[in-house]
């Protein structure tokens, strides 16, 4: 994932506001049937529409078009206003056949009947074995259909300035307790140094931390959503980071990917970064003088629980109104499982593939010069295998994220705590579902 795409996907406020144009035409529950679809192949030439935010995707599509003269694909980059553009198209009945949709946005759009269930196509259901398991569970909503195919993921890991840790004789932490102890030692040794930063306006990142700790935020049973955003596991994560914030052991004045963030790293003011696979190019491209100083290791764990988390990633969804499902499945499967396509997407767009075949790409098995020629993608591959497959997003996730961010920003400024932010997110989740007539209850 490129920096451009990262910033686009993190534009939560814009996404939440623009998707609201679909309100009023939604089906209330995720178990509602998607639009009926036929999987009969076309008798003549077909042209599909595919909208996405990935740099260089036009070149990937051009490769397909060259090989498939009877199934042509026209691509449109909608990175300037991804969900606003999709929302307006759906409202006008002019949605594309296929569109890039983030994992966390899938339940929101599905509750608004935005997708076609492609399970009528045997090739769509057969694709399950081609993807990392947790990604498939996200796109099939626990096996109730095939509404999208996974494209890329954001398995998380710990980026470490090994030279700074070595300078202060601190071992690279393997658990979150060790990470907190390292934070204290680093700051004590140098008052201008913190172990990392906490971006209060980045709910997706924080959700990845909750995911790692098996904090089930939502589940669906008995024809209703069960909301547990403020579970004990979530509170454990919130209280952990609250202590670091209160002790001034992490900075709270930096936004991920910002000029100010890079400046802080450039000045050796921050010693590590909790990030996703797609972030590897951020440091390589923006801090070239620090080549050889960074290493990437597994995320610190919660005791003996070796689980990891995910931050970001997208799917290619089968959109409502698509006329040629058979051809859409054929292209979508090629786009997200063919080694040649995956290699181009990784090279041009920085995508970390969700397909099992993608994890075997030559580019992902080599040492990366910037990181001391270490095979950093082995770390992300292992992380991906340790991500909880049962984690689910809620149908009003963007609205909840906004509430979470607003409350986290207040907590970072000394007004309340991160635990309070979870409570605010819980209340918002229940209210936003009630406002859309989506059956929901607090607790399991």
């Amino acid at each position: 994932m490129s920096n451009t795409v990262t910033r686009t996907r993190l534009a939560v406020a814009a996404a939440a506001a623009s998707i609201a144009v679909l309100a009023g035409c939604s089906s209330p529950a995720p178990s509602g049937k998607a639009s009926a679809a036929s999987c009969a192949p076309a008798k003549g030439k077909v042209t599909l529409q595919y909208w996405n935010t990935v740099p260089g995707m036009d070149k990937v599509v051009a490769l397909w078009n060259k090989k498939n003269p009877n199934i042509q694909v026209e691509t449109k980059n909608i990175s300037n206003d991804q969900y606003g553009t999709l929302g307006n198209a759906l409202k006008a009945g002019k949605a594309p056949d296929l569109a890039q949709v983030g994992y966390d946005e899938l339940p929101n759009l599905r509750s608004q009947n935005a997708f076609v269930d492609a399970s009528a196509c045997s090739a769509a259901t057969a694709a399950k074995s081609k993807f990392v398991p947790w990604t498939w569970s996200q796109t099939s909503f626990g096996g109730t259909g095939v509404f999208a195919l996974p494209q890329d993921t954001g398995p998380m890991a710990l980026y470490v300035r090994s030279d700074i840790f070595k300078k202060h004789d601190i071992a690279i932490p393997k658990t979150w307790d060790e990470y907190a102890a390292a934070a204290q030692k680093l700051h004590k040794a140098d008052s201008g140094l913190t172990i990392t930063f906490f971006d209060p306006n980045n709910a997706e990142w924080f959700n990845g931390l909750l995911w790692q700790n098996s904090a089930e935020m939502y589940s669906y049973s008995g024809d209703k959503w069960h909301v547990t955003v403020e579970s004990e596991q979530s509170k454990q994560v919130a209280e952990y980071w609250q202590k670091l914030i209160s002790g001034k052991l992490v900075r709270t004045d930096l936004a991920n990917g910002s000029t100010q963030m890079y400046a802080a790293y450039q000045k050796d003011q921050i010693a590590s970064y909790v990030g996703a696979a797609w972030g590897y190019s951020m440091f390589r491209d923006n801090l070239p003088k620090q080549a050889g100083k960074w290493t990437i290791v597994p995320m610190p764990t919660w005791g003996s629980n070796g689980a990891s988390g995910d931050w970001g990633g997208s799917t290619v969804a089968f959109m409502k109104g698509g006329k040629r499902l058979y051809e859409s499945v054929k292209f979508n499967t090629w786009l997200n499982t063919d080694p040649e396509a995956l290699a181009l997407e990784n090279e041009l767009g920085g995508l970390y593939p969700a397909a099992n075949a993608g994890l075997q790409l030559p580019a992902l098995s080599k040492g990366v010069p910037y990181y001391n020629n270490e095979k950093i993608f082995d770390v992300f591959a292992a992380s991906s295998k340790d991500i909880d497959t049962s984690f689910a997003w809620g149908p009003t996730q963007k609205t909840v994220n906004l509430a979470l961010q607003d409350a986290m920003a207040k907590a970072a400024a000394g007004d309340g705590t991160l635990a309070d932010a979870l409570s605010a997110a819980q209340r918002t989740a229940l209210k936003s579902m009630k406002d859309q007539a989506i059956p929901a209850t607090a607790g399991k």
Side-chain angles (χ1 to χ4, degrees), residues 50 164 169 197 200 284 308:
Y50 166 43
I164 294 179
D169 194 26
F197 68 98
R284 179 197 66 191
S308 189

Side-chain angles (χ1 to χ4, degrees), residues 257-278:
S258 66
T259 300
Q260 293 80 7
M261 183 200 83
Y262 292 121
Y265 279 109
Q266 185 65 59
K267 296 175 183 176
D268 297 341
Q269 295 173 346
I270 307 178
S272 71
Y273 174 77
V274 181
W278 43 261

Side-chain angles (χ1 to χ4, degrees), residues 1 9 82-83 100-110 115 131-141 148-155 204 211 278 310-316 336 352-355 384 387 391-395 397-398:
M1 183 189 298
R9 293 186 192 175
Q82 182 179 1
Y83 295 114
Q100 180 182 353
V101 176
Y103 293 103
D104 60 344
E105 191 62 40
L106 285 171
N108 190 351
L109 282 169
R110 189 189 174 193
F115 304 134
F131 296 96
V132 174
W134 75 262
T135 65
W136 186 264
S137 67
Q138 296 279 314
T139 60
S140 66
F141 296 98
L149 294 187
Q151 183 166 75
D152 72 308
T153 66
E204 287 93 340
W211 191 338
W278 43 261
D310 181 85
W311 173 21
S314 286
T315 71
V316 177
N336 292 307
Y352 185 77
S384 185
I387 293 173
F391 186 89
W393 300 106
Q397 190 65 49
K398 292 298 183 185

Side-chain angles (χ1 to χ4, degrees), residues 82-343:
Q82 182 179 1
Y83 295 114
T85 303
L86 275 179
N88 289 333
L90 285 161
K91 186 178 181 182
K94 297 181 179 180
D97 300 272
L98 299 160
Q100 180 182 353
V101 176
Y103 293 103
D104 60 344
E105 191 62 40
L106 285 171
N108 190 351
L109 282 169
R110 189 189 174 193
S111 72
Q112 298 171 62
N113 197 28
F115 304 134
V116 171
D117 182 0
S119 58
C121 298
S122 59
T125 56
K128 177 179 179 180
S129 63
K130 298 178 183 293
F131 296 96
V132 174
W134 75 262
T135 65
W136 186 264
S137 67
Q138 296 279 314
T139 60
S140 66
F141 296 98
T144 61
V146 182
F147 303 93
L149 294 187
Q151 183 166 75
D152 72 308
T153 66
M156 299 177 76
L158 180 65
Y159 294 63
V160 176
R161 273 289 299 275
S162 52
D163 60 323
I164 294 179
F165 273 73
K166 185 176 181 180
K167 175 183 177 181
H168 296 291
D169 194 26
I170 298 174
I172 293 178
K174 294 182 178 180
T175 67
W176 285 114
D177 283 344
E178 290 176 3
Y179 191 77
Q184 291 180 324
K185 291 179 181 177
L186 285 168
H187 194 59
K188 183 177 181 180
D190 182 350
S191 60
L193 177 65
T194 60
I195 196 166
T196 193
F197 68 98
F198 183 98
D199 181 358
N201 294 305
N202 198 327
E204 287 93 340
W205 174 80
F206 190 70
N207 289 337
L209 298 178
L210 301 181
W211 191 338
Q212 184 205 17
N213 198 31
S214 303
E216 184 181 74
M217 300 169 71
Y218 305 91
S219 59
Y220 188 84
S221 64
D223 295 326
K224 68 175 63 175
W225 284 93
H226 298 264
V227 182
T228 51
V229 174
E230 56 176 351
S231 67
E232 290 305 311
Q233 292 92 334
S234 294
K235 289 178 182 177
Q236 182 182 11
V237 176
E239 290 167 0
Y240 175 88
W241 286 93
Q242 184 62 55
K243 288 181 180 178
L244 293 181
I245 292 171
S246 299
K248 300 189 184 304
L249 300 178
V250 296
R251 290 178 60 168
T252 59
D253 60 335
L254 302 173
N256 186 70
S258 66
T259 300
Q260 293 80 7
M261 183 200 83
Y262 292 121
Y265 279 109
Q266 185 65 59
K267 296 175 183 176
D268 297 341
Q269 295 173 346
I270 307 178
S272 71
Y273 174 77
V274 181
W278 43 261
Y280 86 97
S281 61
M282 291 169 47
F283 293 91
R284 179 197 66 191
D285 297 344
N286 292 280
L287 299 169
K289 293 182 180 179
Q290 292 186 358
K293 296 181 178 180
W294 286 93
T295 189
I296 297 178
V297 299
M299 279 184 82
T301 61
W302 293 100
S304 60
N305 180 1
S308 189
D310 181 85
W311 173 21
S314 286
T315 71
V316 177
F318 300 99
M319 302 302 294
K320 178 183 179 181
K323 301 294 191 295
R324 304 306 328 175
L325 188 59
Y326 174 88
E327 290 76 17
S328 293
V329 169
K330 194 169 184 179
F331 169 70
N332 201 347
T333 304
W334 174 87
L335 182 71
N336 292 307
T337 65
D338 181 84
E340 192 174 7
L342 296 174

